[in-house]
Amino acid sequence: MPTTSFQHDILPLKDKLFRLALRITLNPAEAEDVVQETMVKVWNRRDSWGTIDNIENFCLTICRNLAVDKTRHMGNQTLSLETEMEPSDNSHHANPEEQVIQQDRIRLVRQLIDQLPEKQRSCMQLRDIEGKSYKDIATILQITEEQVKINIFRARQTIREQFKKADS
């Protein structure tokens, strides 16, 4: 097994770790903190690097777990979802009543997404909002592609059912 070097093998992963943390925390400052904490945890486990098959997956797993923990401590705030889903200006296409109805529906969908379990919310955000492939999502979240598909299906189904209930 080749020797793992912090400078050559782990430090170059910081951008990938940051992107993962940012997708979960939705906050650049929090994501930077998560990456720093990840680097410290990986460094503190340097004695066991020789027994780790894939150091990149090891780092991504630590980063994901820290980001999820930080998000839970922040109260599962997903403010960035709101900015990602902002409605476009339809002022010339719809009357004010239709605009208000549309804005209410978008607000309801945001609330429903916020209420999903973390894994379903992450899968749905990465697939439907950021356009990631199932394979990329599986790698990022450290789950199988089948689990990604199941989580997305369940998230969409839950939102559809809850939306119908609330819209009735």
Side-chain angles (χ1 to χ4, degrees):
M1 188 168 286
T3 306
T4 302
S5 162
F6 188 82
Q7 185 172 1
H8 291 39
D9 298 321
I10 296 170
L11 206 52
L13 296 174
K14 68 180 173 37
D15 290 339
K16 189 179 277 190
L17 296 170
F18 177 77
R19 288 190 301 270
L20 173 62
L22 184 61
R23 286 183 185 118
I24 295 170
T25 64
L26 304 172
N27 181 321
E30 295 294 333
E32 288 176 11
D33 289 347
V34 167
V35 171
Q36 197 166 23
E37 289 176 45
T38 300
M39 292 295 183
V40 169
K41 282 190 177 266
V42 171
W43 177 254
N44 288 339
R45 304 246 339 246
R46 65 189 174 276
D47 294 338
S48 63
W49 288 352
T51 62
I52 298 169
D53 292 331
N54 187 326
I55 195 72
E56 183 176 333
N57 285 348
F58 176 73
C59 293
L60 286 168
T61 301
I62 290 174
C63 182
R64 180 186 181 278
N65 291 340
L66 288 170
V68 168
D69 288 346
K70 190 164 285 280
T71 301
R72 286 187 183 134
H73 285 93
M74 292 183 334
N76 290 329
Q77 296 174 354
T78 54
L79 301 177
S80 169
L81 266 178
E82 294 177 13
T83 58
E84 292 289 333
M85 295 178 61
E86 282 301 319
S88 59
D89 181 26
N90 294 330
S91 57
H92 61 284
H93 294 296
N95 66 39
E97 182 180 349
E98 289 172 352
Q99 288 177 344
V100 169
I101 291 170
Q102 183 67 16
Q103 289 172 352
D104 287 345
R105 287 181 176 163
I106 290 170
R107 193 174 303 113
L108 175 60
V109 170
R110 285 184 200 140
Q111 291 171 351
L112 295 173
I113 291 172
D114 289 348
Q115 294 171 2
L116 291 172
E118 182 273 326
K119 201 165 276 186
Q120 288 180 14
R121 187 176 66 239
S122 295
C123 287
M124 187 174 196
Q125 178 182 345
L126 290 170
R127 178 70 180 170
D128 295 336
I129 296 172
E130 296 185 28
K132 298 291 181 189
S133 69
Y134 292 123
K135 184 177 181 180
D136 288 344
I137 297 168
T139 300
I140 291 167
L141 299 180
Q142 299 294 307
I143 58 177
T144 66
E145 285 185 51
E146 190 62 31
Q147 289 172 318
V148 169
K149 292 175 184 177
I150 290 169
N151 278 302
I152 291 172
F153 173 80
R154 288 179 180 164
R156 289 175 181 165
Q157 186 177 35
T158 300
I159 289 173
R160 187 179 309 114
E161 290 170 3
Q162 294 298 322
F163 186 82
K164 284 179 182 176
K165 269 188 214 174
D167 203 37
S168 307

